[in-house]
């Protein structure tokens, strides 16, 4: 019999039982005191030394635990468990190479010690030796099929290697063994997302969060899933939580930026800060709105126009916004500004609004600002035609009432050429690149636009009539009023907001949040004063185009 373990039976049973209970209950200080006192009486008992090392490790005193483990190994060099415990402590101290050495000794002494195979696998994962780690986890499971940790890491390796079905099975086994293993649900959610099993992916991400509300990675993965599903408001909230839980996680910050850009395009900010636009709208709203009026606004945005209407005397303002992120934020803004009693924000398309449900009756006045840089790019014609027909009372007022799409020939100033054309760069001819670039660009001009003709009204658009929206084609004839190189057609808009209140964003003359569309010719043309240029113009339901 081994001398170093021959006196196990001489230790009082109640002392051993008390020591075990203290360790299991987390009373590590008391367990340490009792273990030391027992070791003093029974210095050759390997289990006491092992429990002391484990107690110190559990209490977070890793260096003290390592000292205790080293002493245990020196006293009991043939104890596989002692070497395994040493490996566990070394691994916690991130001394991975030394840890693998301890696990090898443990396995050599006792090949059936599943804990040592598991520890070896965990160390090899840190060393990025996936194939060897997988062998260790497989061996662990051959000895202990109920090792959830081995199944979990084997699943991770399978996922990393692209064996997603094997990974799925591994995570399912983990959950069967440990139904509260949050990380397994999180990773299973990733697998289902890759497989296109969307409901299961979402369910597993949410289960991971339910089980471990501090698991930032699960919030990140759920947020990314919601982003891909275009559920932007939910994604926004979830990704913000991921960052709150782990400020050093970079991925949710990048995803949050993508979500914000899609849900709330950055041009909203310059639109809100557009003084000329705001002044024109306020003047129109102030003149048109009367007391006791019911106002319907389409496109809430920040709620600015609705608050203008409330301040102008409207009894009740109902405003609709399709983007949930924006509508919820608008409610908060309206509440903070004290207009919650007068303004109701609906997260619905205006085409889905129903009189008698969403509106108590047909509106007295319809306000919108859903104009794009091209005037018609945001469904303004079809949206307002529907609203005029269904949601506005006969003879009701509309802001804006109408508008004109205005165009002119545009020349080749340095500012224009810089964003529309490339030619010779440091002696290299790059002009062929112009052949593969877009024919229409939106620019922000700092300087006065180099017009080569007088402007023309390409299309007149009525916004205060329930007419059927029709496509239109025409040819516009321009006469050059300057000599120069004409690169194409420049477009802007003139809007009649209400009665004689007008707004026009003449390129380079007016500071405007709307960008300026330029439609490029296939090749620039030289023109002289008096030359005629024919341009084809097309107006669709929600688009406009010009070409030579």
């Amino acid at each position: 019999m081994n001398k170093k373990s021959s006196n196990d039976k001489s230790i009082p049973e109640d002392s051993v039982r008390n020591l075990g209970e203290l360790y299991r209950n987390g009373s590590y200080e008391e367990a340490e005191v009792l273990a030391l006192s027992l070791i003093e009486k029974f210095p050759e008992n390997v289990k006491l030394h092992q429990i002391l090392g484990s107690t110190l490790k559990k209490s977070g005193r890793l260096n003290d635990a390592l000292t205790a483990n080293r002493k245990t190994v020196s006293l009991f060099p043939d104890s596989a468990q002692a070497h395994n415990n040493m490996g566990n402590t070394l691994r916690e101290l991130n001394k991975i190479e030394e840890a693998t050495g301890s696990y090898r000794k443990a396995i050599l002494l006792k090949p059936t010690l599943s804990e040592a195979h598991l520890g070896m696998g965990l160390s090899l994962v840190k060393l990025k030796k996936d194939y060897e780690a997988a062998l260790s986890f497989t061996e662990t499971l051959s000895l202990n099929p109920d090792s959830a940790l081995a199944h979990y890491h084997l699943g991770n390796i399978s996922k990393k290697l692209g064996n997603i079905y094997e990974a799925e099975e591994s995570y399912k086994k983990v959950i069967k063994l440990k139904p509260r293993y949050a990380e397994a649900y999180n990773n299973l959610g990733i697998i289902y997302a890759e497989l296109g099993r969307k409901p299961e992916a979402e369910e597993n991400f949410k289960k991971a969060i339910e089980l471990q509300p501090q698991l930032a990675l699960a919030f990140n993965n759920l947020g990314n899933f919601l982003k891909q599903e275009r559920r932007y408001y939910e994604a926004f909230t979830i990704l913000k939580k991921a960052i709150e839980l782990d400020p050093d996680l970079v991925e949710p910050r990048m995803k949050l930026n993508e979500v914000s850009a899609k849900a709330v395009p950055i041009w909203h900010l310059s639109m809100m800060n557009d003084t000329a636009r705001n002044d024109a709208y306020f003047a129109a709203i102030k003149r048109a709105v009367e007391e006791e009026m019911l106002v319907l606004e389409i496109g809430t945005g920040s709620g600015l126009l609705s608050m203008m209407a409330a301040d102008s005397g409207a009894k009740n303002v109902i405003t609709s916004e399709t983007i949930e992120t924006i509508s919820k934020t608008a409610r908060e803004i309206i509440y903070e500004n004290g207009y919650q009693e007068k303004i109701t924000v609906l997260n619905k398309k205006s085409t889905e609004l129903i009189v008698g449900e969403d509106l108590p009756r047909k509106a007295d006045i319809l306000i919108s600002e859903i104009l794009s840089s091209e005037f018609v790019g945001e469904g303004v014609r079809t949206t307002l035609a529907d609203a005029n027909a269904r949601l506005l009372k006969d003879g009701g007022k509309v802001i804006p009432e109408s508008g004109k799409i205005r165009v002119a020939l545009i020349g080749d100033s340095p500012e224009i050429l810089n964003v529309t054309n490339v030619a010779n760069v440091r002696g290299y001819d790059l002009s062929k690149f112009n052949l593969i670039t877009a024919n229409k660009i939106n620019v922000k001009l700092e300087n006065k636009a180099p017009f080569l003709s007088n402007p023309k009204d390409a299309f007149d658009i009525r916004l205060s009539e329930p007419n059927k929206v029709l496509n239109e084609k025409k040819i516009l004839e321009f006469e050059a009023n300057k000599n120069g190189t004409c690169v194409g057609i420049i477009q802007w808009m003139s809007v009649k907001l209400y009665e004689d209140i007008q707004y026009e964003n003449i390129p380079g003359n007016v500071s405007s949040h709307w960008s300026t569309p330029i439609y490029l010719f296939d090749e620039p043309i030289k023109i002289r004063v008096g030359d005629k240029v024919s341009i084809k113009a097309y107006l669709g339901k929600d688009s406009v185009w010009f070409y030579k």
Side-chain angles (χ1 to χ4, degrees):
M1 184 177 288
N2 190 324
K3 180 182 176 183
K4 289 182 169 42
S5 59
S6 61
N7 60 350
D8 288 1
K9 293 181 181 178
S10 63
I11 302 175
E13 289 184 10
D14 59 341
S15 296
V16 176
R17 184 168 56 252
N18 289 341
L19 181 59
E21 288 179 0
L22 289 171
Y23 178 80
R24 286 189 295 273
N25 293 335
S27 303
Y28 299 126
E29 289 185 15
E30 297 174 59
E32 179 187 357
V33 171
L34 181 55
L36 287 170
S37 68
L38 290 172
I39 287 172
E40 189 175 344
K41 295 177 183 177
F42 308 101
E44 296 181 351
N45 186 278
V46 64
K47 289 183 180 178
L48 294 176
H49 288 277
Q50 289 171 349
I51 290 174
L52 176 62
S54 297
T55 298
L56 292 168
K57 177 173 170 288
K58 282 286 188 180
S59 64
R61 295 161 57 189
L62 294 177
N63 288 317
D64 290 340
L66 184 59
T67 299
N69 291 149
R70 290 192 192 283
K71 184 175 181 180
T72 304
V73 167
S74 67
L75 289 172
F76 310 98
D78 294 334
S79 170
Q81 190 63 53
H83 287 286
N84 179 70
N85 291 353
M86 170 83 90
N88 290 342
T89 304
L90 288 166
R91 182 164 53 82
E92 290 258 350
L93 286 165
N94 209 33
K95 298 181 178 182
I96 306 303
E97 293 287 358
E98 292 180 65
T100 58
S102 292
Y103 290 129
R104 284 193 184 95
K105 289 177 184 176
I107 292 168
L108 186 63
L109 289 165
K110 188 177 181 180
T112 59
L113 186 61
S114 65
E115 301 168 55
H117 290 283
L118 177 63
M120 177 66 83
L122 296 173
S123 297
L124 291 169
V125 165
K126 287 197 171 186
L127 293 172
K128 301 187 185 304
K129 297 181 178 180
D130 292 333
Y131 178 73
E132 295 173 59
L135 293 177
S136 290
F137 292 132
T138 302
E139 185 62 26
T140 302
L141 292 170
S142 72
L143 297 166
N144 178 15
D146 293 339
S147 173
L149 197 54
H151 283 297
Y152 175 74
H153 283 281
L154 201 55
N156 289 348
I157 293 171
S158 295
K159 179 166 71 73
K160 184 177 178 180
L161 296 175
N163 302 323
I164 56 177
Y165 292 106
E166 293 178 24
E168 177 190 3
E169 289 305 311
S170 291
Y171 294 135
K172 283 182 175 179
K173 289 175 183 175
V174 175
I175 292 167
K176 185 176 181 181
L177 291 164
K178 286 193 173 182
R180 300 189 61 80
Y181 205 127
E183 290 87 350
Y185 285 102
N186 176 55
N187 288 3
L188 191 55
I190 295 172
I191 294 296
Y192 287 142
E194 289 183 15
L195 292 172
R197 292 160 63 176
K198 297 177 182 179
E200 292 163 283
E202 183 174 356
E203 178 185 346
N204 278 273
F205 289 139
K206 288 182 175 178
K207 185 66 176 179
I209 289 168
E210 176 193 329
L211 293 171
Q212 194 172 328
Q214 304 303 308
L215 188 57
L217 285 174
F219 281 95
N220 174 63
N221 291 330
L222 176 58
N224 188 43
F225 170 81
L226 294 169
K227 177 187 79 72
Q228 292 172 344
E229 293 298 295
R230 300 185 179 183
R231 292 158 61 182
Y232 295 128
Y233 183 77
E234 295 173 78
F236 183 89
T237 304
I238 293 294
L239 290 169
K240 290 273 280 189
K241 184 65 176 178
I243 295 167
E244 178 188 321
L245 290 170
D246 188 348
D248 292 328
L249 270 181
V250 177
E251 186 179 352
R253 292 182 181 275
M254 294 189 294
K255 298 299 181 188
L256 183 62
N257 187 67
E258 291 178 35
V259 166
S260 298
K262 288 181 179 296
V264 187
I266 196 65
W267 51 256
H268 277 82
L269 299 179
S270 60
M271 177 181 70
M272 294 174 208
N273 290 317
D274 190 332
T275 302
R277 164 208 178 257
N278 295 341
D279 289 348
Y281 262 92
F282 185 64
I285 290 170
K286 192 173 181 180
R287 183 182 296 181
V289 173
E290 300 172 10
E291 290 186 9
E292 304 302 308
M293 273 190 167
L294 170 61
V295 174
L296 171 62
E297 182 201 12
I298 295 176
T300 308
S302 64
L304 177 61
L305 301 187
S306 285
M307 290 187 286
M308 287 181 180
D311 273 341
S312 297
K315 180 180 180 180
N316 187 11
V317 181
I318 296 174
T319 175
S320 67
E321 172 60 57
T322 60
I323 299 174
E324 188 176 12
T325 307
I326 295 177
S327 68
K328 291 194 174 183
T329 303
R331 285 193 192 99
E332 295 172 7
I333 290 171
I334 287 164
Y335 180 84
E336 288 180 3
N337 283 276
Y339 291 91
Q340 67 274 15
E341 296 300 323
K342 281 192 171 184
I343 302 173
T344 302
V345 181
L346 302 175
N347 179 212
K348 295 181 75 172
K349 292 182 178 180
S350 65
T351 52
E352 296 173 352
L353 298 180
I354 299 173
V355 175
E357 293 183 15
D358 302 302
L359 286 79
R361 58 182 175 81
K362 288 190 174 184
D364 299 298
I365 184 168
L366 173 64
I367 299 173
S368 69
E369 205 284 68
I370 51 175
L371 304 174
S372 71
S373 296
E374 294 81 1
F375 193 112
V376 294
E378 294 185 18
V380 61
R381 298 177 75 201
T382 53
T383 298
L384 295 186
D386 171 77
N388 275 288
R390 297 191 309 107
L391 307 174
L392 184 67
K393 74 176 188 180
D394 292 342
K397 303 175 182 179
V398 178
I399 299 175
E401 295 179 330
S402 63
K404 295 178 180 179
I405 295 176
R406 310 204 75 199
V407 291
L409 299 179
I410 188 73
D412 63 344
S413 70
E415 184 180 17
I416 297 290
L417 285 179
N418 188 54
V419 294
T420 63
N421 185 274
V422 65
N424 190 290
V425 178
R426 297 187 64 83
Y428 303 104
D429 182 2
L430 307 182
S431 59
K432 286 287 185 184
F433 207 84
N434 297 320
L435 301 177
I436 61 172
T437 54
N439 284 91
K440 173 183 171 290
I441 60 171
N442 284 359
V443 298
K444 287 278 190 178
L445 296 179
E446 298 293 332
N447 302 307
K448 190 172 181 179
F451 294 126
L452 295 180
S453 73
N454 292 326
K456 282 186 176 289
D457 296 336
F459 299 102
D460 292 329
I461 300 174
R462 300 292 301 175
L463 300 175
S464 57
E465 298 174 357
N467 295 337
K468 183 178 180 181
V469 175
L470 301 174
N471 297 340
E472 190 176 349
K473 290 182 180 180
K474 63 172 64 174
I475 294 177
L476 303 173
E477 295 287 350
F478 291 90
E479 181 176 330
N481 59 13
K482 290 181 183 177
N483 299 333
T485 301
C486 182
V487 298
I489 293 291
I490 189 167
Q491 177 202 333
W492 67 99
M493 61 179 148
S494 174
V495 183
K496 181 184 177 185
L497 289 163
Y498 184 71
E499 294 182 342
D500 61 345
I501 299 172
Q502 305 270 348
Y503 171 85
E504 185 171 2
N505 62 334
I506 302 172
N509 286 23
V510 176
S511 177
S512 171
H513 79 278
W514 282 290
S515 57
T516 300
I518 295 178
Y519 301 82
L520 300 171
F521 297 155
D522 291 337
E523 292 183 2
I525 58 172
K526 294 285 186 181
I527 58 175
R528 299 185 63 80
V529 174
D531 286 350
K532 302 291 194 302
V533 180
S534 295
I535 299 296
K536 294 180 179 179
Y538 169 78
L539 175 65
K541 289 183 178 180
D542 193 32
S543 61
V544 65
W545 198 262
F546 301 94
Y547 59 103
K548 184 176 178 296

